[in-house]
Amino acid sequence: MKLFEYMGKDLFSSFGITVPRGRMVSDSDEAAKVAGEIGGTVVVKSQILAGKRGKGGGIKFADNPDEAREAADQVLSMVLNGHKVEKVLVEEKIQIDKELYLAITIDGSAKKPVIIASAQGGMDIEEVPDEYIIKQHIDITMGVYPFMAREIGRQLGLTGQVSKEFNRLLPLLYKMFREKDAELVEINPLVISGDKLIAADSKVTIDDDALFRQKDIPYVEDRTNIEKQAHDLGLAFVELDGNIAVMANGAGMSMGSLDTLAYYGGKPANFLDAGGGTGVEGTAKAIELLLQTNPKVIFINIFGGITRCDDVANALIQVKKAKEIPVPVVIRLVGTNEEEGVRIIKENGMEAYKVMQEAAAKAVEIANAN
């Protein structure tokens, strides 16, 4: 479960990590009031569960309460990265001498928590060259020892009081990571402001399976409208930013479909695991979900085991007859009742592929041509 920035900062503060003074509000008058209480220049930041807010205009500065009211009005009317802005965080503008990156997450390969740090903060860690990234695994039986913080601080180039601040902050961040059952705690940027370290942003993800232990953390619904519909249907669906809608049966097959499309230069619009034995009706509803992503082409990849190829074919034809499918459909059918499924597809003027790579390449070709 992802937390909004203001929620992550509230947690930071409760563990003794310094954050800018501010408060979350949901209307422009309240934003003006908070700006008046803080005094001076404030930042009005959109609260959505997505990044790149600044590039989308979701972060604005205001020098007085009236400007804060106007900025909040503008931000609260925005839709950023598909998310309607319903809350803003109004906080003091801090002096920024340098920006660092600091996070703790789980390294699945090592089966340990890992500290990730960089002197190049303020940008996505994926964009930072490997030689500028510091990684240190944590033995959970030992935790974060002082010498670890000192060594990471040294590699970050920290000295004097700022180094002491980092030595204090890192164990606190790990304490929060463990006690709150987090999968990720990220401060980007961690700002050096004079002799202080301030968490200027927060990204916190809590393990869903541990939420029963975290009664003090409000539940945050971060599914899009289509993802909610899919959840209600019992389907695993994640919306992406591409133009090729994807349906497959099985999580592995779905991931393989996305990877194969990417290999041929395509951009998937979603991850959809239709599962096994969904049946005609369920498969038809899954296809209708795909149409809501407004794709350029639909790629259906079925390796029939429990799922029957003829059920998938009948579902596709059912949707096609009930409502026009405005984009091409590329389908790969192999497995249980394959011959019957292929016959149904061909009788309705479509082609069924046997090899996944050929079908994926065709889907990418169509998407790139449109």
Side-chain angles (χ1 to χ4, degrees), residues 258-270:
L258 268 58
D259 289 345
T260 306
L261 289 170
Y263 175 81
Y264 286 107
K267 295 182 178 180
N270 66 278

Side-chain angles (χ1 to χ4, degrees), residues 252-296:
M253 183 67 71
S254 300
M255 291 301 298
S257 301
L258 268 58
D259 289 345
T260 306
L261 289 170
Y263 175 81
Y264 286 107
K267 295 182 178 180
N270 66 278
F271 167 99
L272 171 57
D273 171 14
T278 305
V280 175
E281 194 63 32
T283 304
K285 289 179 179 177
I287 295 171
E288 289 174 356
L289 281 177
L290 296 180
L291 291 173
Q292 293 185 45
T293 66
N294 298 315
K296 290 187 175 180

Side-chain angles (χ1 to χ4, degrees), residues 34 120 226 265 306 345 365:
V34 174
Q120 297 194 9
I226 302 176
I306 300 173
I345 292 295
E365 177 188 329

Side-chain angles (χ1 to χ4, degrees), residues 10-247:
D10 286 346
L11 283 178
F12 287 163
S13 182
S14 70
F15 278 83
I17 297 170
T18 304
V19 299
R21 289 181 299 132
R23 195 164 76 241
M24 183 278 293
V25 299
S26 55
D27 67 73
S28 55
D29 288 336
E30 192 67 18
K33 180 181 177 182
V34 174
E37 294 170 355
I38 293 173
T41 301
V42 297
V43 190
V44 179
K45 307 176 76 174
S46 57
Q47 296 298 287
I48 58 172
L49 298 173
K52 310 296 185 186
R53 293 172 297 169
K55 292 181 179 179
I59 298 177
K60 297 185 180 296
F61 294 91
D63 293 326
N64 55 60
D66 287 338
E67 288 186 10
R69 179 185 289 105
E70 182 179 348
D73 266 334
Q74 293 173 5
V75 175
L76 288 167
S77 67
M78 291 179 175
V79 176
L80 298 173
N81 301 321
H83 297 262
K84 174 71 174 71
V85 180
E86 298 178 342
K87 306 180 184 74
V88 294
L89 174 61
V90 181
E91 64 181 20
E92 65 178 327
K93 180 184 177 183
I94 58 174
Q95 171 190 323
I96 299 177
D97 298 325
K98 184 174 176 55
E99 295 181 333
L100 309 174
Y101 176 96
L102 180 63
I104 302 177
T105 188
I106 298 293
D107 183 336
S109 299
K111 299 180 181 178
K112 293 180 179 180
V114 59
I115 300 166
I116 304 174
S118 175
Q120 297 194 9
M123 57 191 293
D124 290 338
I125 196 65
E126 294 84 2
E127 298 171 8
V128 177
D130 286 345
E131 60 265 31
Y132 298 112
I133 298 176
I134 303 161
K135 292 184 179 180
Q136 174 67 61
H137 287 99
I138 303 170
D139 184 335
I140 61 171
T141 64
M142 296 175 62
V144 175
Y145 270 56
F147 75 87
M148 295 172 61
R150 288 196 298 270
E151 175 58 21
I152 293 172
R154 184 191 66 79
Q155 293 181 62
L156 289 172
L158 306 182
T159 59
Q161 183 59 35
V162 174
S163 176
K164 293 179 181 178
E165 276 286 298
F166 187 81
N167 295 343
R168 182 189 72 86
L169 183 151
L170 186 57
L172 294 176
L173 192 65
Y174 179 64
K175 185 172 188 287
M176 173 181 154
F177 178 83
R178 287 298 306 273
E179 290 186 9
K180 295 302 177 183
D181 293 301
E183 294 179 343
L184 169 70
V185 290
E186 178 186 274
I187 306 175
N188 186 28
L190 175 61
V191 168
I192 299 177
S193 184
D195 60 359
K196 295 181 180 179
L197 283 175
I198 302 174
D201 201 352
S202 79
K203 185 180 290 184
V204 177
T205 304
I206 306 298
D207 184 353
D208 288 348
D209 292 331
L211 289 178
F212 71 95
R213 281 197 294 261
Q214 303 300 333
K215 302 298 185 182
D216 59 332
I217 299 178
Y219 181 76
V220 178
E221 175 62 79
D222 63 347
R223 297 187 182 98
T224 66
N225 184 50
I226 302 176
E227 289 171 348
K228 290 175 186 175
Q229 293 179 53
H231 181 264
D232 291 342
L233 293 171
L235 301 173
F237 185 100
V238 179
E239 215 170 341
L240 304 174
D241 58 1
N243 55 18
I244 303 175
V246 182
M247 182 180 82

